[in-house]
Amino acid sequence: DDPTRVRQSLEKSAHQLKSSVERTVQDGEQSISRLRAELSFYQSRLEEVERIATQDSVTGVANRCKAERRIQLRIERSCNLSIAIFDLDNFKQTNDLHGHPAGDALLRQFATELRSYFRPTDIVSRWGSDEFLVAVDCGAEEMRDRIEPVRKWVYGDYAIQADGKIHNVGLHASVGIASWRPGETAAELIARADAAM
């Protein structure tokens, strides 16, 4: 009945409602902030897992699984594709003479040199213990032309440390090259490069 009381009651209710809305908004912002932080954490973990799953742990280049997937993708798209398989000559002797840590250091150095020679879009991967595979979007002739300078750029003496001393180790590799033929599977392409080695 009293308009003043009604107004006061409405003002009090409006104030309570406004406070409630402000608390809800603040809680929502805090929840969103927490969710964003969690999302960022899980995203960085996912990226780390992806890196671990696709990168060779010793050399840092792509691992065999990643190389196989990327080769298969190029074949599915019928891309111009050539591969080269490098098999390090006499690598076992380095391990036997200087130990596995020195052998791992040699593999890392070779992988770094090989990766620096090729383009970022090319696939450089560790294929096996002392084998590396490179896949390039090009034909056979261009691949042969690109491989020839590798002998000057990547082959040669590498310095490794063993028993507290620096040793120079000459490193060379046998190479097999193959270019993809329409209708050929990735396994067939790789087998031809391996046989050419």
Side-chain angles (χ1 to χ4, degrees), residues 53-71:
T54 61
Q55 186 179 48
D56 179 63
S57 61
V58 173
T59 63
V61 297
N63 64 14
R64 184 175 183 146
C65 180
K66 183 175 183 177
E68 287 175 335
R69 284 198 326 248
R70 291 186 60 194
I71 289 168

Side-chain angles (χ1 to χ4, degrees), residues 25-49:
V25 167
Q26 189 176 23
D27 290 347
E29 287 172 352
Q30 289 173 351
S31 294
I32 289 171
S33 180
R34 277 194 306 273
L35 287 172
R36 282 188 179 137
E38 285 182 36
L39 180 61
S40 177
F41 171 76
Y42 288 121
Q43 198 167 11
S44 68
R45 293 296 301 261
L46 182 62
E47 288 168 3
E48 178 67 10
V49 167

Side-chain angles (χ1 to χ4, degrees), residues 122-133:
D122 298 332
I123 302 165
V124 176
S125 64
R126 184 169 177 205
W127 195 249
S129 65
D130 62 347
E131 290 183 335
F132 291 81
L133 181 141

Side-chain angles (χ1 to χ4, degrees), residues 87-94 130 170-174:
D87 187 355
L88 302 183
D89 298 334
N90 304 316
F91 178 73
K92 185 178 181 319
Q93 290 176 349
T94 300
D130 62 347
L171 191 60
H172 299 278
S174 302

Side-chain angles (χ1 to χ4, degrees), residues 117-158:
Y117 175 76
F118 287 94
R119 301 171 299 205
T121 55
D122 298 332
I123 302 165
V124 176
S125 64
R126 184 169 177 205
W127 195 249
S129 65
D130 62 347
E131 290 183 335
F132 291 81
L133 181 141
V134 176
V136 180
D137 294 331
C138 69
E141 191 172 322
E142 183 182 337
M143 186 62 152
R144 277 189 285 281
D145 291 343
R146 295 203 53 209
I147 293 300
E148 191 54 40
V150 169
R151 298 177 203 283
K152 295 176 187 151
W153 179 281
V154 179
Y155 297 177
D157 287 340
Y158 286 79

Side-chain angles (χ1 to χ4, degrees), residues 94-109 157-170:
T94 300
N95 274 340
D96 291 346
L97 189 60
H98 302 292
H100 288 281
D104 287 350
L106 186 60
L107 289 173
R108 276 191 293 278
Q109 289 180 52
D157 287 340
Y158 286 79
I160 58 170
Q161 187 169 0
D163 305 322
K165 299 176 187 172
I166 302 294
H167 302 274
N168 285 326
V169 177

Side-chain angles (χ1 to χ4, degrees), residues 66-78 81 123 184-187:
K66 183 175 183 177
E68 287 175 335
R69 284 198 326 248
R70 291 186 60 194
I71 289 168
Q72 184 59 43
L73 184 62
R74 283 171 164 79
I75 287 173
E76 288 170 5
R77 294 178 179 168
S78 298
L81 174 67
I123 302 165
E184 187 174 46
T185 66

